[in-house]
Amino acid sequence: MNAVRFVALVAVGLLAASLRAGEPSASERGKAALETRTFNPAPWPLSAYGNAWKHWQPPLKQKPADYDQAFRDYYGLHPAPYANKDLPMGLRHGSRLFTTGIANDCMICHGGSILGKSYVGLGNASLDIHTLFEDFNKVSGLGKLPFVFSNARGTSEAGGMAVYLLALREPDLSLRLTPLELGLKDDLCEDTPAWWLLKKKKSMYHIGSSDARSVRSIMQFMMTPLNGRTTFEKEEKTFADIQAFLLSMEAPKYPFPMDRELADKGKMLFEKSCVKCHGTYGPEWTYPNRIVPLDEIGTDPARFHGISRKAGEHYNRSWFAQEKGQEGYLARETNGYQAPPLDGVWATAPYFHNGSAPTLEDVLNSKTRPKIYTRSFRTGEEDYEQTKVGWKVQVLDKAPAASEPGVLRRRVYDTTQPGRGNGGHTYGDALTPDERRAVIEYLKSL
Ligand code: HEC
Ligand code: HEC
């Protein structure tokens, strides 16, 4: 090959490479889609944000001075770590008939904060989604919510929402005239899993009922009756990009000093008692993707039983399950809860599928778990419990009376209520206090 041709070829090669470098990757496109788009039309006018305080409990005489902060505190939202027109993470501008309104997006539940810093992909452990939607509906002249969207702050009835919306659709996603009876339950109290765990999982959701590679499954949150089949088909590519972004995420690192020696002791104990369900960590990680039978794990059964067989069958007949042509990604029945990977577990309190254990210490000692308690629902250093690892709580003698406003009742986690039981997972009970401290020290390093 002569020199001129060689130089020309190299130049073309470089040009092609730089073009490729300029094009966003699938995960970059997915990140941009999450941070800039809403996949549902906006239900509320822009004025809903500024007027919501008129329904706060106890009632206020005037709008709070630092309204943005007061609004985030009241509903459990966090500043957006991306441009969001001054709205908190999880709310955003969207189209509403011929104007602009407010919509919610995935980050209302999947955008959280730890030590005062917001993260896309950390579950929102502060949110009172029922109160937020209820107040926005009130100030917008819209009706009551069709069922309970959350029973305890930081958890939501995401499963109930999916069942409710699925019941309005035929398998081809056209709208039904009357909703199907799919046995909707609204006391599952679901804690939102961190997105960075998805890349290790073969099956997802707390009971491992779906293939973790299903793109259409995570499109269920687009089911507002205003979205037709063509919109779902059009956005499938976008959701494949979103999935690529979720699969690229890494857990945040523990920011405080750690006792390495103690952590090494904890690692040995972890290898003995925990690895068989939760896997190993580091560059050569393994994850067994184990689903532990309900009677063995013994945690609250409501989420396990909460989605009816009928709902599963309807899902499996629908567009959502037909993803890979004939084969499809069918939802399946399992026999218990999936032992999650524990990467970044220092940041994901409260624990268990229903958020019933506020700290790792509570996870590892079933006898001392608090029964009825509240917390600040703020996420600063002063709200974080560094020794037990998780949220500081204030234990109460009794739960608020049923006559109290819902927003106040939802601030109390009452483990005697349906869906909120804090029993089971007794694998840490036999550890001595020193051993437990060592295991917790090790868990900080994951
Ligand atoms: C109302 C709150 C809420 C909204 C909005 C929401 N999610 Fe979720 N998401 C959850 C909860 C809760 C779970 C766990 C459900 C369960 O298994 O009980 C979950 C589970 C998931 C999972 C599986 C995680 C795992 O490891 O098992 C993915 C992926 C996911 N959501 C993606 C999304 C995307 C993408 C959006 C936006 C299109 C979205 N979610 C909107 C609350 C929400
Ligand atoms: C037999 C399997 C099994 C063993 C052994 C086991 N776990 Fe678990 N673990 C689970 C399951 C299943 C869950 C989820 C339960 C639920 O959410 O209802 C869980 C949940 C957890 C959680 C909460 C995770 C979260 O994000 O909410 C932590 C932390 C944890 N385990 C730590 C440990 C440690 C440390 C050990 C060893 C002392 C251990 N586990 C032993 C199965 C196991």
Side-chain angles (χ1 to χ4, degrees):
M1 175 187 329
N2 69 38
V4 174
R5 251 187 87 199
F6 177 75
V7 170
L9 273 177
V10 170
V12 169
L14 282 175
L15 185 66
S18 69
L19 277 179
R20 271 200 303 274
E23 267 172 34
S25 65
S27 91
E28 284 164 344
R29 289 195 305 267
K31 179 173 190 287
L34 275 176
E35 293 181 358
T36 58
R37 297 198 43 205
T38 160
F39 300 97
N40 295 318
W44 307 291
L46 286 180
S47 59
Y49 180 79
N51 287 331
W53 68 274
K54 293 175 183 165
H55 293 279
W56 288 4
Q57 293 291 337
L60 300 176
K61 289 208 182 64
Q62 57 184 26
K63 193 170 174 173
D66 187 355
Y67 187 65
D68 291 337
Q69 174 74 53
F71 182 95
R72 290 195 301 264
D73 278 349
Y74 190 78
Y75 297 111
L77 293 165
H78 313 287
Y82 45 81
N84 199 34
K85 303 225 166 67
D86 295 332
L87 287 175
M89 176 161 59
L91 296 176
R92 77 172 60 237
H93 286 189
S95 58
R96 185 172 191 261
L97 289 174
F98 302 108
T99 62
T100 300
I102 297 185
N104 77 272
D105 58 39
C106 310
M107 277 80 81
I108 196 164
C109 300
H110 288 281
S113 166
I114 184 77
L115 302 172
K117 187 165 179 227
S118 300
Y119 292 88
V120 170
L122 170 62
N124 185 353
S126 309
L127 178 68
D128 183 345
I129 195 171
H130 189 90
T131 305
L132 175 63
F133 282 21
E134 192 173 64
D135 288 357
F136 269 17
N137 274 8
K138 280 182 196 157
V139 292
S140 312
L142 298 172
K144 276 196 144 91
L145 301 179
F147 57 96
V148 174
F149 282 13
S150 58
N151 291 281
R153 266 184 86 157
T155 70
S156 70
E157 298 301 322
M161 293 179 201
V163 170
Y164 177 80
L165 294 169
L166 195 65
L168 306 175
R169 304 269 181 169
E170 296 291 356
D172 68 359
L173 301 190
S174 58
L175 284 172
R176 294 178 50 86
L177 291 175
T178 52
L180 281 167
E181 177 46 67
L182 295 181
L184 183 148
K185 293 261 176 52
D186 59 3
D187 57 5
L188 315 188
C189 301
E190 295 149 278
D191 181 60
T192 309
W195 274 342
W196 60 74
L197 302 174
L198 193 62
K199 61 167 168 284
K200 286 194 171 177
K201 294 182 173 178
K202 283 202 176 65
S203 52
M204 65 178 174
Y205 303 132
H206 289 303
I207 59 169
S209 52
S210 289
D211 192 300
R213 295 302 165 261
S214 167
V215 168
R216 290 190 185 177
S217 177
I218 57 176
M219 297 180 74
Q220 291 179 82
F221 273 96
M222 280 181 55
M223 266 192 292
T224 128
L226 295 169
N227 282 337
R229 163 87 176 236
T230 47
T231 312
F232 283 91
E233 280 169 350
K234 199 174 99 224
E235 298 294 0
E236 193 171 352
K237 279 199 305 286
T238 316
F239 274 77
D241 291 343
I242 289 175
Q243 187 192 57
F245 174 55
L246 305 191
L247 295 176
S248 78
M249 296 180 97
E250 297 287 339
K253 294 268 169 271
Y254 187 73
F256 300 114
M258 259 183 283
D259 181 339
R260 287 284 162 193
E261 220 175 293
L262 189 62
D264 286 346
K265 256 172 66 194
K267 182 171 188 228
M268 271 149 59
L269 292 160
F270 189 85
E271 274 159 7
K272 214 170 77 196
S273 323
C274 322
V275 157
K276 64 170 188 266
C277 292
H278 291 289
T280 59
Y281 297 81
E284 310 283 297
W285 60 265
T286 57
Y287 175 61
N289 213 95
R290 253 187 86 174
I291 293 162
V292 183
L294 183 65
D295 54 357
E296 187 183 335
I297 188 74
T299 48
D300 189 280
R303 168 64 184 88
F304 176 77
H305 295 299
I307 313 259
S308 68
R309 175 171 295 174
K310 238 176 136 184
E313 284 167 356
H314 188 52
Y315 178 92
N316 281 346
R317 277 191 299 272
S318 79
W319 179 85
F320 292 110
Q322 310 308 314
E323 192 158 346
K324 292 207 313 170
Q326 293 255 295
E327 221 181 304
Y329 281 135
L330 299 183
R332 55 169 195 151
E333 286 187 347
T334 69
N335 62 357
Y337 290 111
Q338 183 163 334
L342 301 176
D343 305 82
V345 73
W346 70 271
T348 62
Y351 302 104
F352 295 142
H353 71 273
N354 61 359
S356 59
T359 67
L360 289 177
E361 168 84 25
D362 300 316
V363 169
L364 296 179
N365 192 349
S366 70
K367 299 193 183 75
T368 58
R369 290 176 194 157
K371 205 167 150 193
I372 302 173
Y373 55 93
T374 187
R375 56 189 168 99
S376 68
F377 299 100
R378 288 188 151 208
T379 68
E381 206 171 317
E382 63 281 11
D383 308 283
Y384 187 74
E385 166 64 69
Q386 280 193 48
T387 316
K388 295 180 171 183
V389 180
W391 299 120
K392 281 186 186 158
V393 298
Q394 189 194 341
V395 176
L396 306 173
D397 296 334
K398 57 178 179 26
S403 55
E404 290 281 318
V407 62
L408 302 180
R409 281 187 283 119
R410 283 187 285 277
R411 281 181 202 165
V412 174
Y413 200 106
D414 181 352
T415 62
T416 66
Q417 292 301 305
R420 275 162 274 175
N422 66 352
H425 195 284
T426 52
Y427 313 107
D429 286 11
L431 298 169
T432 67
D434 282 350
E435 288 174 335
R436 195 171 293 117
R437 253 183 357 105
V439 171
I440 292 173
E441 201 63 19
Y442 173 64
L443 291 175
K444 290 177 182 171
S445 74
L446 303 184

